[in-house]
Amino acid sequence: GAVVSQHPSRVICKSGTSVKIECRSLDFQATTMFWYRQFPKQSLMLMATSNEGSKATYEQGVEKDKFLINHASLTLSTLTVTSAHPEDSSFYICSATTATNYGYTFGSGTRLTVV
Amino acid sequence: AQSVTQLDSQVPVFEEAPVELRCNYSSSVSVYLFWYVQYPNQGLQLLLKYLSGSTLVKGINGFEAEFNKSQTSFHLRKPSVHISDTAEYFCAVSDRNNNDMRFGAGTRLTVKP
């Protein structure tokens, strides 16, 4: 079945630094990838949608200059949290889909802690 | 745009009891419906999905859900739960272009011995 690998699973960084999170589709070509943020005991909030080779589409209220998304290939999307602050600490989850795979395949998530 | 309401934030049940997790959706277009399960500090795993056809959908781990168009519902059921079913469950809806998936707030299922 479709598998999405997300790395790293946990990261701790200092305030002001940048962190990159990778999301890879291992056995299928992901035409579209999504990035979500999840606060404790809450649902997933869509941050942005990215299509391979195109600029990401950000949801209202998400700072595109802070959360840089790159989808350079059909199997890889990256989310870079720039100049991280403690309020950026959260669980970030990616998902991927293809034109023929109804529903999304999710990565295992990344727990980001900014200290 | 579509939206999802999960009516119960927490559902405690005893082991081997039946359970129903409720989900209602709202949309102006035809949709696909999904149930996902999330274990602590993990991503989401697809339990089942409704695309078309039979309104009763069977998924993994003994779960099933029934699509009711007139009531705009997609409730998840399991006849006998196990301790290992303790997790967060999310109902989701997407448009038929497979874009713009929206999630409910989640239901925390706790199975007690």
Side-chain angles (χ1 to χ4, degrees):
Chain A
V3 177
V4 171
S5 172
Q6 187 173 342
H7 179 81
S9 59
R10 290 177 180 270
V11 58
I12 300 173
C13 71
K14 291 185 177 181
S15 186
T17 62
S18 295
V19 174
K20 179 183 285 188
I21 303 170
E22 291 188 349
C23 180
R24 292 180 184 273
S25 57
L26 297 186
D27 50 3
F28 68 101
Q29 292 185 325
T31 52
T32 306
M33 288 190 170
F34 305 86
W35 288 95
Y36 294 86
R37 182 173 182 175
Q38 186 179 32
F39 291 103
K41 300 186 187 302
Q42 293 188 28
S43 189
L44 282 72
M45 300 302 297
L46 180 64
M47 298 174 67
T49 302
S50 72
N51 294 295
E52 184 264 340
S54 302
K55 288 185 177 180
T57 301
Y58 291 80
E59 294 297 299
Q60 190 173 8
V62 177
E63 299 175 60
K64 61 180 181 181
D65 294 330
K66 181 169 186 61
F67 299 99
L68 301 179
I69 292 173
N70 184 285
H71 191 169
S73 77
L74 284 171
T75 59
L76 174 64
S77 177
T78 61
L79 167 67
T80 302
V81 183
T82 63
S83 187
H85 292 287
E87 57 264 32
D88 298 325
S89 297
S90 190
F91 193 58
Y92 293 87
I93 306 176
C94 71
S95 70
T97 189
T98 69
T100 57
N101 177 33
Y102 299 106
Y104 300 175
T105 302
F106 286 84
S108 55
T110 298
R111 172 71 60 191
L112 170 63
T113 303
V114 184
V115 299
Chain B
Q2 49 273 8
S3 65
V4 178
T5 301
Q6 288 183 245
L7 298 164
D8 307 296
S9 60
Q10 297 186 62
V11 174
V13 294
F14 286 104
E15 193 174 18
E16 297 183 3
V19 71
E20 177 179 82
L21 305 183
R22 297 181 293 169
C23 172
N24 285 88
Y25 70 94
S26 173
S27 177
S28 58
V29 299
S30 295
V31 298
Y32 297 138
L33 294 157
F34 308 85
W35 274 99
Y36 288 90
V37 60
Q38 185 182 34
Y39 298 101
N41 291 310
Q42 294 187 29
L44 275 67
Q45 180 182 9
L46 180 67
L47 281 177
L48 48 81
K49 59 188 176 188
Y50 172 78
L51 304 180
S52 64
S54 174
T55 57
L56 182 63
V57 181
K58 293 188 182 297
I60 63 172
N61 301 343
F63 285 93
E64 63 180 34
E66 185 157 19
F67 169 58
N68 188 318
K69 188 174 182 179
S70 63
Q71 296 186 6
T72 60
S73 68
F74 191 56
H75 301 332
L76 180 71
R77 302 186 185 98
K78 186 169 182 176
S80 175
V81 294
H82 302 289
I83 299 289
S84 59
D85 292 323
T86 295
E88 191 82 22
Y89 291 80
F90 292 97
C91 182
V93 60
S94 76
D95 63 28
R96 294 211 162 196
N97 292 320
N98 204 29
N99 292 318
D100 198 21
M101 181 175 279
R102 301 290 168 169
F103 289 85
T107 297
R108 175 72 181 174
L109 174 64
T110 302
V111 181
K112 299 178 288 187

